[in-house]
Amino acid sequence: MGSDLEDSPASADGTRAVREGSVGLKRKVTLINAIGLIVGNIIGSGIFISPKGVLQDAGNVGVALIIWAISGVISAIGALCYADLGTAIPRSGGDYSYILDIFGPLPAFLRLWVELIIVRPCTHAVIALTFAFYILYPVYTPCAPPNSVVALLAALCICLLTFVNCASVRGATRVQDIFMATKLLALVIIVIFGMIQLGKGEVLHLSPDLAWRGSTNVGGISLALYSGLWAFAGWADLTFVTEEIRDPSRNVPRSIVISMTLVTIVYLLTNVAYFTGMTPQEMLESDAVAVTFGLRLLGAAWWIIPIFVAFSTFGAVNGSMFASARLYFVGAREGHLPDILAMVNVHQSTPVPSLVLGGILSLIMLCTTDVYVLINYASFVYWIFIGMAILGLVIIHFKFPNMERPVKMPVVLPIVFVLACLFIVVVSIWVAPIECLAGAGITLTGVPVYLFGVYWQSKPKWLTDKLDACTVFCQKIMSCCREEHHKE
């Protein structure tokens, strides 16, 4: 492990430089695209629909706003630690690659496994269903859209974005940039109307004597912080595509600082705006806070809020698909997934097999009624692996002090974030022990898969021949081959 880390060249072009004109993933992701990927993956539907979770557990408005600020700061610390890791180990794959280099293949495979079978497919299905519901909401109101229509539109969303990502990296990043702009525009509209309310003196629930009214306790604050940190989830996805970012040693940390600052400020201002248009009790009773806000303050134009929520979720599906396909691609390149997933289309230089697999798994999850339950199971495991990756940064700091790290964070930052992850894991076990046990069980199903598919190298010839035949067949169907590269 030590030699791999010490020899890891933290060059601007990463460990694998792709020759111009060769088959492979290209460096087409600019600084703006990187910002769009982070912001787009963080801002989904949560800030529009359910900020009431933080308020409910915080107990009062003042504590809730502080929780939002603290959540942004902790998430920014985690993102900066990933910038350090991403430039020290400049490969795509994010925490999978970091865990692989620092802790070995089995923990890395388990991280990859739970992302492949649960986290990403379920996330895509849930966000696509949210997109479909809100794009149809103004059409069917005051009734709810039919479930069958919502499911069909969600499936169309997944198929369309799978096609866009297969067709062009530039097309996918343009979609991400456009929908990042639309979701920021929606939040800006909410903030502007909130500022107008403030100008009118609608500050009753923000005044000191009322903002702090309401009981609060350590347990409630812990749960509120848990919800707040989840609202910022998505900041790690940029490091899944490190090898496609132009000048990553500069653009990775820049995009992270800009994105996390922007999202934290916008989240805080949006929550302040909400409290100018409704009472805390009305927020707690609302199933879609932004829609309620729009109905109160936008008058006949209320319908633009659900449309913007739909746009926001559409962009979130696109960004998550873009990032997760690179995770599968890197996992296959390391021998942890079938060879076909480590191949790229010879014409478009996109990881078509990984994208197609992600799309199929997401469509399958649309057919199950347990998709929300599965996400709850996996959330516990998610924070364990995030904490493990950043714990690796602490190990690097002390065990490999001479390792080249273009972006070097003070060791106190990863320690603080590891403690935050430990806090989240403990809170999860305290609040939902059965779900945490189920999540651990799902993750451990990857152990026999690892032993059969990765650890067992002396497979019989008839089996390897069958696998090779399947790989060749898929190559022909998707016009793909392994990337061509040379090591620097």
Side-chain angles (χ1 to χ4, degrees):
M1 181 186 74
S3 61
D4 290 343
L5 286 173
E6 292 284 13
D7 295 339
S8 176
S11 64
D13 292 326
T15 57
R16 290 177 172 85
V18 181
R19 292 190 298 273
E20 195 66 33
S22 65
V23 176
L25 301 178
K26 311 295 185 182
R27 292 194 178 276
K28 295 183 178 180
V29 178
T30 64
L31 174 61
I32 297 298
N33 298 150
I35 294 170
L37 187 63
I38 298 173
V39 173
N41 283 4
I42 293 176
I43 304 176
S45 60
I47 189 63
F48 297 103
I49 298 173
S50 54
K52 67 179 184 181
V54 174
L55 175 62
Q56 182 173 345
D57 293 319
N60 60 57
V61 173
V63 173
L65 293 176
I66 290 174
I67 291 294
W68 279 109
I70 292 174
S71 299
V73 170
I74 292 175
S75 299
I77 290 172
L80 289 171
C81 291
Y82 264 49
D84 190 336
L85 285 165
T87 53
I89 306 174
R91 296 201 307 275
S92 293
D95 39 71
Y96 162 77
S97 293
Y98 312 147
I99 292 171
L100 177 64
D101 276 14
I102 300 167
F103 296 100
L106 180 56
F109 178 82
L110 293 178
R111 167 63 172 148
L112 179 64
W113 175 249
V114 75
E115 285 279 318
L116 175 68
I117 66 168
I118 298 293
V119 175
R120 294 296 170 164
C122 288
T123 299
H124 298 161
V126 167
I127 301 176
L129 287 169
T130 306
F131 158 77
F133 180 88
Y134 278 94
I135 202 74
L136 294 170
Y137 187 87
V139 178
Y140 283 90
T141 192
C143 301
N147 290 337
S148 58
V149 178
V150 170
L152 285 172
L153 189 55
L156 178 62
C157 167
I158 290 171
C159 292
L160 176 61
L161 289 175
T162 300
F163 172 78
V164 169
N165 277 269
C166 288
S168 168
V169 171
R170 187 158 295 169
T173 55
R174 282 177 178 170
V175 168
Q176 193 66 14
D177 294 344
I178 291 169
F179 284 92
M180 175 195 70
T182 59
K183 64 183 68 181
L184 287 177
L185 176 60
L187 293 174
V188 167
I189 290 172
I190 291 172
V191 169
I192 288 174
F193 274 87
M195 296 304 105
I196 292 173
Q197 288 292 98
L198 287 176
K200 293 179 179 179
E202 297 289 341
V203 295
L204 179 62
H205 301 288
L206 296 172
S207 59
D209 53 333
L210 287 182
W212 302 99
R213 180 178 296 178
S215 61
T216 187
N217 55 68
V218 175
I221 291 174
S222 299
L223 292 174
L225 185 58
Y226 179 85
S227 299
L229 289 172
W230 258 115
F232 283 89
W235 49 262
D237 284 3
L238 180 66
T239 54
F240 288 169
V241 301
T242 301
E243 292 172 37
E244 295 174 77
I245 299 172
R246 295 176 183 172
D247 194 6
S249 63
R250 290 166 59 88
N251 285 336
V252 168
R254 281 179 176 179
S255 59
I256 284 173
V257 170
I258 294 171
S259 301
M260 296 309 299
T261 302
L262 178 63
V263 171
T264 302
I265 292 173
V266 168
Y267 271 19
L268 273 171
L269 292 177
T270 302
N271 276 278
V272 169
Y274 285 151
F275 289 119
T276 66
M278 63 186 82
T279 67
Q281 186 60 37
E282 288 171 334
M283 178 181 285
L284 292 175
E285 293 173 354
S286 174
D287 291 325
V289 173
V291 175
T292 303
F293 182 87
L295 286 167
R296 286 290 185 83
L297 298 184
L298 271 64
W302 70 270
W303 55 269
I304 67 172
I305 296 297
I307 296 298
F308 273 127
V309 173
F311 287 166
S312 178
T313 50
F314 189 84
V317 176
N318 180 73
S320 185
M321 279 188 170
F322 187 92
S324 60
R326 274 65 182 175
L327 174 62
Y328 307 155
F329 174 86
V330 173
R333 192 171 64 186
E334 298 291 346
H336 286 179
L337 290 177
D339 287 343
I340 185 63
L341 298 179
M343 299 186 186
V344 296
N345 183 271
V346 296
H347 305 295
Q348 305 301 332
S349 297
T350 54
V352 170
S354 292
L355 287 161
V356 170
L357 175 65
I360 291 172
L361 292 175
S362 301
L363 291 173
I364 291 172
M365 289 301 176
L366 282 178
C367 302
T368 176
T369 57
D370 296 328
V371 61
Y372 293 94
V373 176
L374 289 172
I375 284 186
N376 288 336
Y377 290 166
S379 62
F380 162 73
V381 179
Y382 169 85
W383 288 107
I384 291 178
F385 285 117
I386 293 290
M388 183 182 294
I390 294 185
L391 178 61
L393 186 58
V394 179
I395 293 172
I396 288 174
H397 180 87
F398 290 107
K399 196 170 182 180
F400 308 106
N402 297 322
M403 182 178 178
E404 185 180 354
R405 292 161 60 193
V407 179
K408 195 169 185 178
M409 292 293 120
V411 71
V412 67
L413 293 185
I415 291 174
V416 167
F417 193 84
V418 169
L419 292 175
C421 289
L422 181 62
F423 160 81
I424 293 172
V425 169
V426 170
V427 170
S428 300
I429 296 172
W430 170 44
V431 173
I434 301 300
E435 287 82 354
C436 292
L437 186 62
I442 291 171
T443 305
L444 292 176
T445 61
V447 174
V449 178
Y450 172 82
L451 294 175
F452 176 82
V454 181
Y455 186 78
W456 183 29
Q457 294 294 314
S458 56
K459 296 180 178 68
K461 187 175 185 301
W462 67 266
L463 179 57
T464 57
D465 287 346
K466 292 289 186 184
L467 294 173
D468 290 343
C470 289
T471 300
V472 171
F473 174 77
C474 292
Q475 280 186 266
K476 292 177 180 178
I477 293 294
M478 291 181 272
S479 298
C480 59
C481 67
R482 280 191 171 274
E483 63 176 347
E484 300 171 5
H485 61 80
H486 70 279
K487 289 188 177 182
E488 293 183 319

